[in-house]
Amino acid sequence: MRVWIDLTNSPHVLVMRPLIELLQGDGHEVAVTARDFAQTVALCERLEIAHTVIGRHRGEHVLAKAAGLGSRSAALLRWAHAQRRAAGGRRFDIALGHSSNDVSVAAAIMRVPSATTFDYEWASVQHNVNCRLAAAVVVPDAIPQERLERYGARGKIHSYEGLKEEYYLADFEPHPAVLAELALDRSRPIVVLRSPPEVSLYHRFHNDLFAQVLERLQRAGAQEGVQTVVLPRVDAQRAELARGGGLVVPEQAIDAQSLIAYADLVISAGGTMNREAVALGTPVYSTFQGRLGAVDERLIADGRLRLLTRVDELQLRRKDSAAHVPRIRRDPRVLLELLMTPLEH
């Protein structure tokens, strides 16, 4: 069987990595395309996932996104046709993506069945495309199905238990090499901070919650010895953070999961890193200021995730190793089988 997997953002590499390994272990041919955005390509290289780089992020404005969807889908089509010719006319049997509209569009034009997965239900523009074109929509069981039916997902929804992070981190064990790489001292508190999606941190959003947290952690570094590692999403953020001083800002993709496991606290404006912290047993605050998704709603209700609304709510303390909760490890083959359901028909 020939399987096409498209990766458009950094977390998607982590989600798909064990699925790629399972498919290859079962003897299937897997071809991976990757968009040049954030650490997507760097993570493919670090995890030794063979891939072809196609397209780049075109910006946050709706018109830019539309242009990006059109141009990258067309580029994927050209690549897929070339792959088909190289395979003697044999097309892909299925295409898989994590909220990748590009591969959904390209696969639909080529009449290749596709499946999509995601765990945040309020990206309405994105889901109106991928849910309508995909033959299977794979999501956590925390998301009520009625929230997805308006996107055209009725009859296509396949739910899984728990967090996607519990599946792709099932075989993960932290490695201390990342601490040496970043020159971190384990005897002092370690905080991991993930930037929001916006490109500018200080100038456009100087008074927002993230900027206030950043200033609080810079003071804690100077006065309390707290070591703050900031993981930027794009190069513009990296340069801006490095100029601020008092922070550890990696210059390239690192073993972020090991860093999270060794950290005393994680603060993230995004979703994946928050849930990685939950899955690895590290206390975590969310500074997300958009509409909460069902997964985070459940984690907050269960006390596994704390929503930070004011900087004075932030508590900087060492992680209590005695209160460690055993990790939940789930079989990634469950996710793979759900994504492959279009082939059952």
Side-chain angles (χ1 to χ4, degrees):
M1 183 168 59
R2 301 187 73 212
V3 181
W4 174 11
I5 295 179
D6 188 45
L7 308 172
T8 58
N9 202 352
S10 309
H12 309 168
V13 184
L14 305 173
V15 175
M16 293 297 183
R17 187 270 310 167
L19 309 189
I20 293 169
E21 293 175 358
L22 286 171
L23 286 165
Q24 292 174 333
D26 290 342
H28 302 300
E29 178 187 344
V30 181
V32 177
T33 49
R35 182 176 64 163
D36 185 7
F37 175 63
Q39 288 80 46
T40 306
V41 174
L43 281 172
C44 284
E45 294 171 350
R46 189 171 71 80
L47 297 176
E48 299 182 344
I49 297 174
H51 61 283
T52 301
V53 179
I54 298 178
R56 58 181 176 83
H57 193 264
R58 298 292 292 268
E60 294 298 326
H61 296 296
V62 174
L63 290 178
K65 285 180 177 292
L69 173 62
S71 64
R72 187 165 187 269
S73 297
L76 289 177
L77 269 173
R78 291 192 294 271
W79 172 86
H81 281 303
Q83 292 289 305
R84 184 173 181 174
R85 289 193 297 271
R90 184 184 170 198
R91 69 178 185 177
F92 288 106
D93 295 282
I94 192 169
L96 309 179
H98 190 298
S99 297
S100 171
N101 287 350
D102 308 333
V103 77
S104 297
V105 171
I109 293 173
M110 295 191 70
R111 299 182 181 273
V112 172
S114 67
T116 188
T117 182
F118 54 84
D119 55 5
Y120 179 69
E121 67 271 31
W122 300 125
S124 58
V125 174
Q126 184 179 64
H127 298 331
N128 265 304
V129 176
N130 56 43
C131 288
R132 294 184 192 282
L133 295 179
V137 178
V138 179
V139 295
D141 61 5
I143 300 178
Q145 294 197 8
E146 56 269 22
R147 293 187 181 181
L148 305 178
E149 290 178 351
R150 62 178 181 159
Y151 302 135
R154 184 188 295 272
K156 305 176 182 179
I157 302 170
H158 303 271
S159 299
Y160 59 85
E161 294 182 352
L163 308 173
K164 72 178 188 297
E165 291 76 12
E166 294 167 343
Y167 292 87
Y168 72 74
L169 291 173
D171 61 350
F172 171 78
E173 295 297 338
H175 196 287
V178 69
L179 302 177
E181 180 183 350
L182 300 176
L184 297 173
D185 182 353
R186 290 189 68 180
S187 68
R188 293 163 50 200
I190 299 173
V191 176
V192 178
L193 183 62
R194 176 65 159 166
S195 65
E198 293 83 3
V199 171
S200 178
L201 302 179
Y202 293 98
H203 305 303
R204 290 172 55 204
F205 300 96
H206 182 72
N207 295 318
D208 73 357
L209 180 59
F210 179 84
Q212 295 171 33
V213 169
L214 200 60
E215 293 169 1
R216 169 72 178 90
L217 292 172
Q218 287 174 312
R219 291 198 305 272
Q223 300 169 6
E224 305 165 41
V226 173
Q227 305 165 100
T228 297
V229 182
V230 187
L231 302 179
R233 293 175 185 267
V234 295
D235 289 339
Q237 290 180 339
R238 181 175 291 105
E240 203 166 5
L241 288 162
R243 286 197 299 271
L247 306 165
V248 178
V249 186
E251 296 182 356
Q252 57 193 9
I254 62 168
D255 180 1
Q257 290 70 45
S258 289
L259 177 63
I260 290 169
Y262 287 117
D264 295 287
L265 181 66
V266 170
I267 308 168
S268 174
T272 297
M273 190 161 290
N274 286 340
R275 293 186 287 274
E276 286 180 339
V278 170
L280 295 173
T282 298
V284 53
Y285 285 104
S286 173
T287 60
F288 182 65
Q289 295 177 302
R291 186 175 184 181
L292 283 178
V295 173
D296 283 358
E297 288 174 340
R298 178 178 289 184
L299 291 174
I300 291 170
D302 292 344
R304 302 172 72 190
L305 173 68
R306 288 173 287 180
L307 188 62
L308 190 68
T309 58
R310 301 192 319 272
V311 71
D312 58 10
E313 297 171 342
L314 182 61
Q315 299 178 17
L316 300 177
R317 59 167 67 105
R318 300 304 301 270
K319 182 164 60 178
D320 184 1
S321 57
H324 177 69
V325 178
R327 284 173 54 189
I328 299 174
R329 301 175 190 256
R330 302 183 189 271
D331 186 358
R333 189 172 286 277
V334 171
L335 291 185
L336 178 60
E337 291 175 352
L338 293 176
L339 286 166
M340 301 299 281
T341 51
L343 296 182
E344 296 176 1
H345 304 292

